[in-house]
Amino acid sequence: MIHFSILGQPGQDNAVLSTINTSQSIHRILFDCGEAVLEGIPYSDLQAIDHLMFSHLHMDHIAGFDSFFRGVFNRTSRENHIWGPPETARILQHRFQGFWWNHAADLDAEWLVHDVHEDHIETTRFLAHEAFSVAHPEPARPHSGVILEHEAYTVQVIPLSHHGISLGYRVQEKPRTNIDMQKLNEMGLRPGPWMQHLKNPQYQEETLDIAGEPHPTQDLRAALLVEREQGSLAYITDLLIDEVARTKLIPFLKGIETLICESQFHPSDLELALKNHHTTPELAAQLAQDAGAKELVLFHVSQRYRPETWREMLELARQIFRNTRFSEHWPL
Ligand SMILES: [Zn+2]
Ligand SMILES: [Zn+2]
C-alpha cells in the first residue's frame, strides 16, 4: 500500500513524503525538500527516508535540505541515495561541504548522488570521512525510464520542461500474488503451511501435501493464485503542460492511482503559467482526466493568491476532474 503526505502549507514550500508498506517492510521516498517541509515529521521517520528524489534544484525545492541532512549525514544503517536531474551531484556537493567537518575522520557514511539523464544515470559517491571533499564518479549506466527496481516497487522518471529539466516520478508497487480464499473453501481444502509453498515460485515439487494427501502443484496454482495490482503514485511539479508534454505524460501516467501535480497559477494567469513553465488547475485536471487517474491532488499553489482564490482554483479543477483535492491537512 502506498501512503503519502503533502508537506508544507499552501503558498509555502511543499514536498511529498511517500511510504510504501508491503506489510513486511516499509520504504520511504521524499520528493523534494523545500524550506521547513520536514517540520512535524517524526525524527525517526526522517531518519528512515530511503531515497530523496528531487524534481529540480530551484531554492523552493531544496531549501530544507539541511534539516534532512542533519538527521542522516552519518547514517550507516541503510544506504544513502539522492536523485535528481543533471547537475544534482555538483550542487549537492556544495551543500555537503557547507559545514565545518573537523571530526570527519570519525565518520563512516557514504552518499550516492544520482544525476538522471535522458537515457543514463551518472552516480557520484561522496564519503563523510573525506568531509565530502572528493567527488568519486561511478561508471554511467543506461536506463530505459525505470531508475529504481526494488523487490516491492519501481520508480520511473520522465523529464519535463521547466526552462531546464524538472523530473517527474512514478512509484508503482509490484503486483502481489495472493491465494483466492473463497476458491480454497469451495475446493474443500484446509489452510496450512502448504499455502506458503504454493505462493513461492522457488517451490518446484510436483505435488503438495495437504492434510496427508498429495495434490498436483501446477493445478493448485492455476486454480488458486491471483495477481493483485497494487498502488501507484505520480509526482510532477514545476512543468510546462503543452501538447508535446501531454503526448509524453498521458502514457506515463496511464491508470495512475494518485496524481500529485503542482497548480501554481489561477487560469486567469495562464499566460504567466506557460511563460514560467508552470501549470494551472485546469491543465492539471485535464491531464488527470486524460490519463485515467483515480484521484488528483493539487499542491505548490502560488502565494500571490488569497485562500479564497486557492479554493476557487480547486473548484475549477473539479469541474474538469471531479476527484480533485488539496491535502487534508491544509486549512482551506
Ligand atoms: Zn522551479
Ligand atoms: Zn517550485
Side-chain angles (χ1 to χ4, degrees), residues 56 58 60-61 162 238 278 300:
H56 64 303
H58 276 157
D60 57 325
H61 296 259
H162 185 49
D238 297 53
H278 273 293
H300 201 4

Side-chain angles (χ1 to χ4, degrees), residues 55-61 162 166 237-239 262 276-278 300:
S55 57
H56 64 303
L57 298 171
H58 276 157
M59 272 186 201
D60 57 325
H61 296 259
H162 185 49
S166 176
T237 190
D238 297 53
L239 71 153
E262 67 118 316
N276 293 329
H277 287 193
H278 273 293
H300 201 4

Side-chain angles (χ1 to χ4, degrees), residues 34-311:
E35 188 169 353
V37 296
L38 294 171
E39 280 175 12
I41 300 232
Y43 200 58
S44 55
D45 283 7
L46 183 156
Q47 290 185 308
I49 290 170
D50 296 285
H51 295 273
L52 169 54
M53 297 190 165
F54 285 109
S55 57
H56 64 303
L57 298 171
H58 276 157
M59 272 186 201
D60 57 325
H61 296 259
I62 192 176
F65 179 76
D66 288 357
S67 305
F68 166 74
F69 196 48
R70 191 174 183 178
V72 289
F73 68 90
N74 196 32
R75 184 171 67 177
T76 52
S77 56
R78 56 183 81 205
E79 293 181 3
N80 299 305
H81 292 279
I82 299 176
W83 305 75
E87 291 211 89
T88 298
R90 181 184 70 74
I91 293 169
L92 260 293
Q93 188 176 9
H94 290 292
R95 304 297 298 238
F96 293 152
Q97 290 191 284
F99 303 95
W100 185 30
W101 293 112
N102 55 324
H103 294 297
D106 302 332
L107 303 179
D108 301 310
E110 170 177 293
W111 283 79
L112 295 165
V113 184
H114 310 282
D115 286 12
V116 180
H117 294 255
E118 183 100 35
D119 59 357
H120 70 280
I121 300 169
E122 290 175 11
T123 296
T124 310
R125 217 154 39 90
F126 296 97
L127 304 173
H129 78 81
E130 294 175 343
F132 302 95
S133 58
V134 186
H136 302 273
E138 309 244 297
R141 60 188 196 281
H143 75 83
S144 55
V146 176
I147 55 162
L148 184 56
E149 179 89 50
H150 185 274
E151 58 182 24
Y153 65 94
T154 58
V155 179
Q156 251 179 297
V157 288
I158 184 167
L160 302 162
S161 194
H162 185 49
H163 296 294
I165 291 175
S166 176
L167 286 181
Y169 293 94
R170 177 180 179 132
V171 186
Q172 181 84 43
E173 267 187 297
K174 292 197 171 161
R176 234 173 286 161
T177 305
N178 288 339
I179 292 179
D180 185 336
M181 294 305 285
Q182 196 183 334
K183 195 79 181 284
L184 183 132
N185 280 335
E186 284 167 16
M187 291 169 73
L189 299 170
R190 200 181 309 158
W194 62 271
M195 291 159 64
Q196 286 311 320
H197 294 314
L198 191 73
K199 284 203 290 185
N200 179 5
Q202 313 295 336
Y203 184 85
Q204 299 285 359
E205 299 294 317
E206 275 184 24
T207 57
L208 265 167
D209 185 82
I210 307 177
E213 289 282 315
H215 292 256
T217 311
Q218 239 179 355
D219 294 356
L220 283 178
R221 284 196 170 129
L224 292 172
L225 293 187
V226 280
E227 288 254 294
R228 290 248 156 79
E229 274 303 315
Q230 302 293 312
S232 58
L233 173 143
Y235 175 85
I236 54 174
T237 190
D238 297 53
L239 71 153
L240 171 71
I241 305 185
D242 60 1
E243 270 317 304
V244 176
R246 282 172 43 81
T247 311
K248 290 195 302 179
L249 272 166
I250 291 168
F252 179 80
L253 298 171
K254 194 111 207 104
I256 197 83
E257 195 173 9
T258 302
L259 170 60
I260 301 171
C261 182
E262 67 118 316
S263 187
Q264 273 276 296
F265 288 96
H266 187 276
S268 59
D269 290 322
L270 175 65
E271 222 171 286
L272 208 53
L274 297 176
K275 182 171 158 258
N276 293 329
H277 287 193
H278 273 293
T279 78
T280 67
E282 293 179 335
L283 287 168
Q286 194 58 54
L287 182 65
Q289 175 74 24
D290 294 342
K294 289 209 179 73
E295 85 168 331
L296 170 65
V297 181
L298 299 177
F299 81 123
H300 201 4
V301 294
S302 172
Q303 60 179 355
R304 70 180 57 223
Y305 307 121
R306 301 173 62 82
E308 52 267 31
T309 310
W310 290 330
R311 282 194 289 271

Side-chain angles (χ1 to χ4, degrees), residues 6-9 12-16 30-41 60-61 64-65 67:
I6 305 282
L7 310 181
Q9 293 300 310
Q12 297 173 10
D13 292 0
N14 294 146
V16 168
L30 176 64
F31 293 106
D32 287 333
C33 196
E35 188 169 353
V37 296
L38 294 171
E39 280 175 12
I41 300 232
D60 57 325
H61 296 259
F65 179 76
S67 305

